[in-house]
Amino acid sequence: TAAFAVLRLDPTERLSVTVSGRYDDPDRYDGEGTARASARYDLGAGFSVAAAYGQGFKTPSISQTACDFCFPMVPAALQPERAEGADLRLGWASGDGGLDAAVTAYRIEVEDQITFVFNPDFTSTYANLDRTRSEGIEAEARARFGEGWTARLAYSWTDAMDLGTGARLLRVPEHQGAAVVGWDGRRFGGAL
């Protein structure tokens, strides 16, 4: 069972604020309340700044609890994940909507993060990591051209660590990016 509420305020033409709260009450775990707050301010000349803070709560999935990809297949005794994070974004958009760009810095800490572990003896299981932290920077730009054409570039750098061991988190790339060219017609579209 879960319940949530969202409130959005626009105190001025340039400022919008959103706050939300959620309460999850799973059958198998203790209930947990989480909150989120965000704000966006229009700086003028196409620039805007946005900030957000939030908490998260996630129970193990059926696949993780049953340990269906584990060897030997033994149900895992997992705890729910609890997270807390924040981000800050500076954006710019041209007045005609043809070009926009943004840079975002973020940080998230997770307690009891669920991860898949493959051991040297060829056994595998899901397990909780005591505490993890991911922080980084994302940059993106998008341009719209005539006749439905668009181009998008994105890059992110992430420093993701297991705070208990000091090791980098597996399956979290340090550098990643994308370059996309797309076309959207009236009946068909595509991207490369």
Side-chain angles (χ1 to χ4, degrees):
T1 306
F4 68 93
V6 178
L7 175 64
R8 179 166 181 212
L9 305 168
D10 294 317
T12 70
E13 276 187 29
R14 292 185 167 205
L15 177 64
S16 66
V17 177
T18 304
V19 293
S20 62
R22 178 181 173 114
Y23 185 77
D24 290 278
D25 190 17
D27 292 337
R28 199 168 161 201
Y29 303 98
D30 291 337
E32 182 84 14
T34 55
R36 178 172 170 82
S38 63
R40 181 182 180 279
Y41 188 75
D42 182 354
L43 299 170
F47 288 94
S48 64
V49 64
Y53 165 82
Q55 300 169 318
F57 174 74
K58 179 194 164 297
T59 60
S61 69
I62 293 171
S63 176
Q64 292 166 337
T65 302
C67 213
D68 55 2
F69 293 105
C70 300
F71 181 78
M73 193 180 221
V74 176
L78 298 170
Q79 296 300 312
E81 296 178 339
R82 288 169 175 80
E84 193 171 296
D87 61 65
L88 180 63
R89 178 181 191 268
L90 176 64
W92 176 81
S94 64
D96 61 3
L99 183 64
D100 58 74
V103 176
T104 305
Y106 61 91
R107 179 183 180 122
I108 184 169
E109 292 192 8
V110 181
E111 290 182 18
D112 294 320
Q113 181 170 326
I114 299 170
T115 190
F116 187 75
V117 178
F118 187 78
N119 299 306
D121 64 357
F122 298 102
T123 61
S124 57
T125 189
Y126 285 97
N128 288 106
L129 299 177
D130 186 39
R131 288 183 53 132
T132 64
R133 181 191 69 224
S134 297
E135 56 190 3
I137 297 175
E138 298 176 347
E140 59 186 309
R142 183 176 47 203
R144 290 170 205 71
F145 306 101
E147 306 298 322
W149 287 93
T150 61
R152 181 178 174 265
L153 292 172
Y155 168 78
S156 67
W157 169 79
T158 304
D159 181 26
M161 295 184 65
D162 178 338
L163 296 177
T165 64
R168 280 195 56 77
L169 290 178
L170 298 177
R171 296 175 285 281
V172 180
E174 184 176 5
H175 302 278
Q176 61 183 341
V180 179
V181 174
W183 175 76
D184 190 11
R186 289 184 181 200
R187 300 184 76 182
F188 300 99
L192 173 66

